[in-house]
Amino acid sequence: MRLSIWIGFYINPLTLEFFNSICHNLVTDMRVFGPHSLESRQQTLKTTNWYQPHPVKCILCFTVLLLVFCLVNCGEPEYSQGQALYQQHCASCHMDEGQGLGRLYPPLAGSDWLVDKRAESICAIRNGLEGEIYVNDTMYNQVMLGNKDLSAVQITNIMNYINNSWGNDLELVTVDEVRTALEECR
């Protein structure tokens, strides 16, 4: 589906015209840039080949812009929203690097509890946690306060940040999975 959207976007005539105008402006600005008179700038704009719409040039420009976009935005996701929410709601106990705090608060980095108790992890973020738990064969019995104001989307962002930080390489959590888990743990 995503490929068909990109192909449709790629060959859409309005899109071609849009990118042609971007390329035209970039090139003519580069050619006209400098201490030229207004008349010489207008003459340059009229005589340059970039002034007329040309699909091949537009496709070339679009391809370059797409490659730049992919180089900047493709690859490993940053989980920046989850990181910000983690810092605000979780890091004071679980620490910035998810290492926990001695025998008071369990680590999230390399935590077997996150792997084995995925739904419980989601519920713990919303409702808190009380009683003994074992993380990496160590017992913890400290009250974890819940975050009732966090939405399902925010909890999803936190979980995905935790699941993919500090050496954790766990499957992404979906919003639907979080909503289902929250319904079951009410």
Side-chain angles (χ1 to χ4, degrees), residues 121-133:
S121 300
I122 293 167
C123 291
I125 293 172
R126 168 67 64 80
N127 300 321
L129 193 61
E130 203 171 313
E132 291 182 0
I133 64 167

Side-chain angles (χ1 to χ4, degrees), residues 6 74 185:
W6 277 107
C74 295
C185 68

Side-chain angles (χ1 to χ4, degrees), residues 106 113 117 129-135 138-142:
W113 206 77
K117 301 191 182 264
L129 193 61
E130 203 171 313
E132 291 182 0
I133 64 167
Y134 286 86
V135 177
T138 302
M139 191 266 297
Y140 295 88
N141 191 9
Q142 193 68 265

Side-chain angles (χ1 to χ4, degrees), residues 9 12 57 79 81 103-104 106 109 120 132 142 151 164:
F9 181 73
N12 182 331
K57 292 176 184 175
Y79 306 107
Q81 292 175 343
R103 295 180 77 87
L104 291 175
E120 290 89 339
E132 291 182 0
Q142 193 68 265
S151 70
N164 292 282

Side-chain angles (χ1 to χ4, degrees), residues 1 5 10 30 32-33 40 51 62 99-100 102 120 135 149 177-178 181:
M1 165 120 173
I5 291 171
Y10 189 76
M30 287 187 288
V32 177
F33 184 77
S40 67
Y51 188 70
F62 174 76
Q99 74 269 23
E120 290 89 339
V135 177
D149 295 333
E177 181 182 356
V178 169

Side-chain angles (χ1 to χ4, degrees), residues 53-180:
H54 194 281
V56 174
K57 292 176 184 175
C58 182
I59 290 171
L60 177 64
C61 184
F62 174 76
T63 304
V64 169
L65 290 173
L66 182 63
L67 287 172
V68 169
F69 175 79
C70 284
L71 289 174
V72 170
N73 294 312
C74 295
E76 292 292 319
E78 294 181 24
Y79 306 107
S80 58
Q81 292 175 343
Q83 182 180 19
L85 290 165
Y86 176 85
Q87 290 297 324
Q88 182 179 356
H89 298 282
C90 312
S92 59
C93 296
H94 294 286
M95 303 289 109
D96 290 337
E97 298 299 316
Q99 74 269 23
L101 187 60
R103 295 180 77 87
L104 291 175
Y105 299 108
L108 300 175
S111 170
D112 61 349
W113 206 77
L114 287 173
V115 175
D116 299 338
K117 301 191 182 264
R118 188 172 167 108
E120 290 89 339
S121 300
I122 293 167
C123 291
I125 293 172
R126 168 67 64 80
N127 300 321
L129 193 61
E130 203 171 313
E132 291 182 0
I133 64 167
Y134 286 86
V135 177
N136 301 337
D137 297 325
T138 302
M139 191 266 297
Y140 295 88
N141 191 9
Q142 193 68 265
V143 173
M144 176 181 163
L145 300 176
N147 295 285
K148 299 276 187 196
D149 295 333
L150 291 175
S151 70
V153 172
Q154 290 173 316
I155 293 172
T156 303
N157 287 333
I158 291 171
M159 284 295 296
N160 285 328
Y161 172 70
I162 292 169
N163 286 348
N164 292 282
S165 297
W166 320 301
N168 293 341
D169 189 21
L170 304 176
E171 185 179 328
L172 291 176
V173 176
T174 66
V175 176
D176 289 336
E177 181 182 356
V178 169
R179 287 184 180 132
T180 302

